[in-house]
Amino acid sequence: MAVASPSTVMNNVEAVRHTLYEALKNDERTLVLGEDVGARGNVFLITKGFIEEFGAERVIDTPLAEASIVGVAIGMAMEGLRPIAEIQFADFIYPAFNQIVGEAAKTRYRSNGDYTCPLVIRTPYGGGVRGALSHSVSIEALFYHVPGLKIVAPSFPADIKGLLNAAIDDPDPVLFLEHKKTYRLVKGEVPSEHYTIPIGLADVKHPGDALTVVSYGLYVHQAIEAAQRLAGEGLSVEVIDLRSIRPMDRTTILASVRKTHKLLIVHEDNKFGGIGAEIAAMVAEEAFFELDAPIRRLCGPDVPAMGYALPLEEEFMVSTDEMADAMRELVRY
Amino acid sequence: MTITMPQLGETVTEGTVAQWLKKPGDAVEKYEAFVEVSTDKVNAEVPSPVSGVLREIICKEGETVATGAPIAIIDEAGVVPEPPAETSPAAPAAVPATVSASNGSSNGSHGGNGVATTSGLRRFSPAVRRLAREHNVDVAAVSGSGTNGRVTARDVLAAANEGPSAAMAATLAREPAKATVAPATAQPAAAASTYAAPTPGTIVPLTQARKIIAKRMVESLAIAPHAWTMVEVDVTKLWRWRAQEKDAFLASKGYPLTLLPFFIHAVVQALKGQPMLNARFTDDGIHVLGAYNIGIAIGLETNLIVPVIRDADTLSIGGIAVAAGKLIEKARAGKLGADELGGGTFTVNNTGANGSILSKPIINGGQAGIVTMEAVVKRPVVVDDAIAIRSMMNVCLSLDHRVLDGTIANAFLADLKKRLEAMRPGGDL
């Protein structure tokens, strides 16, 4: 990116919309498909006006059938198109599980490299928005285990543009997660020109030297806020925004842990068998002799879903205060 | 007090005395290693729980006993010797540093936080243990700033910075240059082995100096990504100059005038032009050093030592020759002091002295680079499209790629080459 390139302040919804629009405009192979992406312009108005400009062949309203959305998109991708499928809410992705895990992720392997599956599946995920049982879920761990799938979850507008462009360019399937609470909450400068951010590269969003905090999604923003608070108390905390969940950026994480000797992982998804478990195991394997405190995870509780009642939702979500408390304890440990 | 076989690991039930580091009658300081114990998992030097005199060795070298069994008796300084009958087999087989004589406080805090447990054991994190080992810090003596007084990694680093880090260097210096002859007899083999004896050979025991060298080399290679580059230098004129001056110099100054001082002088001048090579990598940034303290690697018969010419930028070529001559003399006599071994900012290695024409040196820990001067050899080279016989010397540089890149390294070498090739008869010594 050129230093002085023009940029625009956008929120996360606008960043997704802007990037999709540019992709449709500049690459004829691209198309979007999903529930209500056409006439309705997507439930968050991300694709509003697209169908008028690009036509119903490239902005496709689908039936309420997620397996078909992904299945159709896989076929398009294998035959040379660049479909960007949308699952309206991550909570509805389960019917497409077989298509994503059983087909898309294995296409390259099964065809011995004759076919690839350059497919992007976008979906809003995450809670804290009174979305209750079926509009709050985090799904990343369900797909994390699957070789052949890439999972990204940027939560800054400029990262969203760079990673969505990289996902569209990628020859293999990418699950693109957008935290819905950050959609209109988070704003930032987005360079106007076309650029990509490599998938698999984390970003140190707040440098520090006494504790490493690894997070992604909404919680990165809360972790940065907590780290800023602690900086006011003279405690130095480094916050790493994973941006890409898989592949995991081991280099950035390990370099930070080698500096701070302590690690806190914060994510909204359930703790058991989650992303944090893999990061903790990786650090224990690769950097055991760097650790000066037990690795700690601050995650969603192992309950079947996020409740609608506000106290239940608050209980599920990790607050900024809780993050600051955990950081303080670990720094002082 | 009676010393028992420590429990080196949770599932370990017995240990073998590998080597007694003290003889009966020897004084033993508290925390001083006095015996080496090996188990099927680890070998460890065991620190003494008390200061005193080693009265009796109960368990001989090579003997294996259960953890908790008595292995020796130490008469505590200022304490009437206790009757041996009082030995309690149930006494906790603790790491001796925490035997309750010194530590009456068991306040009940324990568990995962890893501070003082109810049994009086102190637990240390992996990072603390590693850093303590690397920096030669006695963790038992470090006061902890963490939760419940836990010793943190930062505490160890702070202690390492305060403490005499020259301790290791001094050990190196003390070990004289005498030839160590490997014992002709092999170590007694473990009695119970049933497999065929291995091909006979000898094991040369590790001297303290050898252990330190091994550790530092591994560390330097592991921590600093080494890049390597080389230039060839035409030293024909320099060689002639030195030949003209050397006899008079030896007669007047008492030290030989080798190629080394010319080289060091040129290196210092070239370092001034490229300060990133006179620097060290830290997590806070690259620390560009203010002084030019040049280490010279001196190979002795069984070890390697790197004394330092301080403020080499203030010395003439002749001054460097005298300083180097003194250091080499002392090194060979095993008389270097700790102050002559620390504080180096860059290292020169005269590998050519042994005939090498190409080498890939390992950076002296904490520095940004090391440069070698290889043997001067006459070679046919092309000069102005004619083939000439010139005295050529290769100069090799290993650099810490975290600190700088090839551009700076090669600019340094180009400058060094220019300076060496400009040295000729009639110059200032």
Side-chain angles (χ1 to χ4, degrees):
Chain A
M1 265 183 275
V3 178
S5 76
S7 63
T8 313
V9 172
M10 298 183 189
N11 63 27
N12 280 354
V13 161
E14 288 161 347
V16 177
R17 175 182 166 80
H18 159 74
T19 313
L20 286 179
Y21 180 83
E22 295 285 316
L24 286 169
K25 206 172 72 174
N26 296 326
D27 185 347
E28 283 188 343
R29 299 171 303 166
T30 58
L31 59 111
V32 297
L33 70 162
E35 296 158 12
D36 291 329
V37 300
R40 176 79 200 272
N42 160 285
V43 289
F44 297 97
L45 304 183
I46 285 173
T47 54
K48 189 169 164 50
F50 281 19
I51 194 166
E52 288 81 4
E53 181 161 353
F54 299 107
E57 285 205 335
R58 294 183 64 204
V59 182
I60 303 169
D61 266 326
T62 66
L64 304 189
E66 287 77 11
S68 302
I69 295 171
V70 176
V72 164
I74 289 170
M76 292 171 166
M78 288 173 67
E79 289 302 327
L81 295 177
R82 295 273 166 163
I84 303 158
E86 175 182 304
I87 302 296
Q88 192 168 68
F89 287 96
D91 312 64
F92 311 151
I93 205 167
Y94 309 128
F97 192 82
N98 178 49
Q99 290 299 321
I100 297 170
V101 175
E103 305 292 339
K106 294 172 174 53
T107 298
R108 179 190 282 274
Y109 186 86
R110 182 166 55 207
S111 69
N112 199 20
D114 287 346
Y115 285 91
T116 61
C117 187
L119 161 68
V120 179
I121 303 168
R122 287 182 41 249
T123 187
Y125 78 106
V129 293
R130 308 301 304 282
L133 190 92
S134 53
H135 292 80
S136 300
V137 77
S138 296
I139 51 153
E140 54 272 28
L142 296 175
F143 295 96
Y144 193 42
H145 185 63
V146 181
L149 269 188
K150 298 187 177 79
I151 309 173
V152 297
S155 65
F156 285 77
D159 290 345
I160 285 175
K161 177 171 177 180
L163 278 160
L164 186 49
N165 277 331
I168 294 168
D169 288 349
D170 200 281
D172 295 302
V174 179
L175 194 53
F176 194 92
L177 304 180
E178 299 160 12
H179 197 290
K180 66 178 89 73
K181 190 170 180 181
T182 69
Y183 262 163
R184 298 186 198 284
L185 194 67
V186 176
K187 292 194 172 77
E189 296 268 340
V190 178
S192 306
E193 66 187 12
H194 180 89
Y195 64 94
T196 60
I197 292 172
I199 295 174
L201 201 61
D203 188 34
V204 175
K205 286 285 194 313
H206 185 277
D209 60 21
L211 166 67
T212 299
V213 177
V214 174
S215 191
Y216 57 91
L218 171 68
Y219 283 1
V220 170
H221 299 277
Q222 291 177 230
I224 292 169
E225 194 191 325
Q228 285 165 346
R229 268 191 229 169
L230 264 69
E233 301 166 21
L235 306 176
S236 170
V237 174
E238 180 148 300
V239 179
I240 294 176
D241 179 2
L242 279 184
R243 303 195 296 195
S244 294
I245 295 174
R246 185 171 182 173
M248 182 207 293
D249 183 353
R250 303 152 73 98
T251 310
T252 299
I253 297 170
L254 287 171
S256 180
V257 170
R258 292 201 165 101
K259 177 172 66 172
T260 65
H261 305 295
K262 294 173 182 175
L263 174 62
L264 170 69
I265 303 150
V266 192
H267 61 62
E268 186 179 322
D269 200 357
N270 304 1
K271 182 173 182 175
F272 191 93
I275 311 305
E278 189 58 36
I279 295 171
M282 186 276 289
V283 170
E285 283 177 344
E286 304 286 334
F288 179 73
F289 289 103
E290 298 292 345
L291 289 172
D292 194 28
I295 297 171
R296 187 155 169 206
R297 288 176 289 161
L298 212 50
C299 310
D302 288 313
V303 295
M306 198 174 297
Y308 174 67
L310 192 56
L312 291 180
E313 183 177 281
E314 284 175 347
E315 182 61 25
F316 192 108
M317 300 296 285
V318 177
S319 70
T320 307
D321 283 346
E322 287 172 282
M323 290 185 200
D325 287 345
M327 289 178 188
R328 237 178 249 116
E329 276 174 35
L330 266 175
V331 170
R332 292 182 177 147
Y333 181 84
Chain B
M1 71 182 296
T2 304
I3 311 298
T4 57
M5 176 60 73
Q7 182 161 11
L8 301 171
E10 287 182 354
T11 59
V12 175
T13 55
E14 59 181 33
T16 305
V17 170
Q19 190 187 355
W20 283 101
L21 306 174
K22 296 284 177 184
K23 303 190 298 291
D26 281 357
V28 183
E29 290 290 313
K30 187 171 177 179
Y31 303 141
E32 187 184 359
F34 71 106
V35 62
E36 206 178 307
V37 170
S38 65
T39 70
D40 52 351
K41 294 199 168 165
V42 292
N43 286 337
E45 289 186 349
V46 179
S48 171
V50 293
S51 291
V53 174
L54 180 62
R55 182 181 357 141
E56 191 189 337
I57 286 175
I58 299 170
C59 183
K60 288 197 284 290
E61 288 186 0
E63 229 175 283
T64 301
V65 296
T67 56
I71 57 171
I73 296 171
I74 293 179
D75 289 335
E76 275 182 77
V79 174
V80 180
E82 59 188 8
E86 277 202 6
T87 312
S88 157
V95 174
T98 59
V99 168
S100 54
S102 65
N103 177 4
S105 65
S106 60
N107 56 11
S109 75
H110 59 91
N113 286 2
V115 209
T117 64
T118 43
S119 65
L121 275 169
R122 289 177 88 190
R123 299 164 112 191
F124 302 105
S125 75
V128 162
R129 297 172 77 106
R130 176 180 61 81
L131 289 168
R133 212 166 46 236
E134 284 174 6
H135 294 274
N136 213 13
V137 167
D138 175 9
V139 266
V142 175
S143 65
S145 69
T147 309
N148 294 333
R150 190 185 74 92
V151 174
T152 68
R154 286 173 172 232
D155 293 336
V156 176
L157 287 173
N161 283 336
E162 283 166 20
S165 70
M168 267 191 172
T171 309
L172 267 174
R174 274 198 307 274
E175 231 159 76
K178 66 174 187 242
T180 308
V181 178
T185 53
Q187 304 279 333
S193 69
T194 53
Y195 46 82
T199 314
T202 55
I203 290 177
V204 179
L206 290 175
T207 62
Q208 195 57 25
R210 199 73 243 155
K211 281 185 194 168
I212 292 173
I213 291 169
K215 199 167 102 60
R216 287 194 171 171
M217 295 297 169
V218 169
E219 267 174 19
S220 176
L221 267 184
I223 294 168
H226 282 51
W228 184 88
T229 179
M230 185 188 89
V231 291
E232 40 184 14
V233 181
D234 182 345
V235 292
T236 311
K237 289 171 186 156
L238 168 55
W239 196 245
R240 204 179 301 140
W241 182 23
R242 175 197 161 258
Q244 286 173 9
E245 305 277 359
K246 67 184 170 68
D247 292 339
F249 190 89
L250 180 61
S252 67
K253 302 283 202 273
Y255 291 97
L257 184 66
T258 64
L259 210 54
L260 181 70
F262 296 91
F263 189 76
I264 291 176
H265 195 265
V267 162
V268 171
Q269 300 308 316
L271 283 176
K272 284 184 178 171
Q274 301 297 345
M276 286 312 243
L277 268 159
N278 199 55
R280 68 170 63 217
F281 185 87
T282 75
D283 285 335
D284 298 326
I286 291 164
H287 183 181
V288 178
L289 301 163
Y292 295 91
N293 298 336
I294 306 300
I296 44 178
I298 299 176
L300 304 172
E301 278 179 68
T302 58
N303 97 41
L304 166 73
I305 195 156
V306 188
V308 173
I309 299 178
R310 280 179 201 287
D311 300 317
D313 54 324
T314 64
L315 297 176
S316 63
I317 294 170
I320 294 173
V322 171
K326 285 180 179 166
L327 289 173
I328 291 168
E329 207 170 70
K330 279 187 172 180
R332 290 190 174 140
K335 284 185 178 156
L336 284 168
D339 56 324
E340 288 162 315
L341 288 159
T345 62
F346 189 81
T347 300
V348 167
N349 194 356
N350 185 5
T351 44
N354 299 318
S356 161
I357 54 157
L358 191 64
S359 58
K360 190 163 175 256
I362 295 176
I363 296 167
N364 202 357
Q367 298 176 7
I370 179 169
V371 72
T372 73
M373 40 189 297
E374 304 293 335
V376 176
V377 287
K378 285 198 173 179
R379 284 205 285 117
V381 294
V382 175
V383 179
D384 295 336
D385 285 347
I387 294 173
I389 294 173
R390 310 290 293 177
S391 295
M392 301 298 293
M393 177 173 82
N394 290 335
V395 171
C396 306
L397 173 75
S398 290
L399 55 125
D400 181 346
H401 218 322
R402 296 173 306 172
V403 179
L404 67 153
D405 308 316
T407 317
I408 292 176
N410 287 322
F412 166 78
L413 283 182
D415 187 28
L416 179 59
K417 174 184 164 81
K418 207 174 91 189
R419 288 174 187 282
L420 290 168
E421 291 183 347
M423 287 180 170
R424 58 193 66 200
D428 283 338
L429 265 190

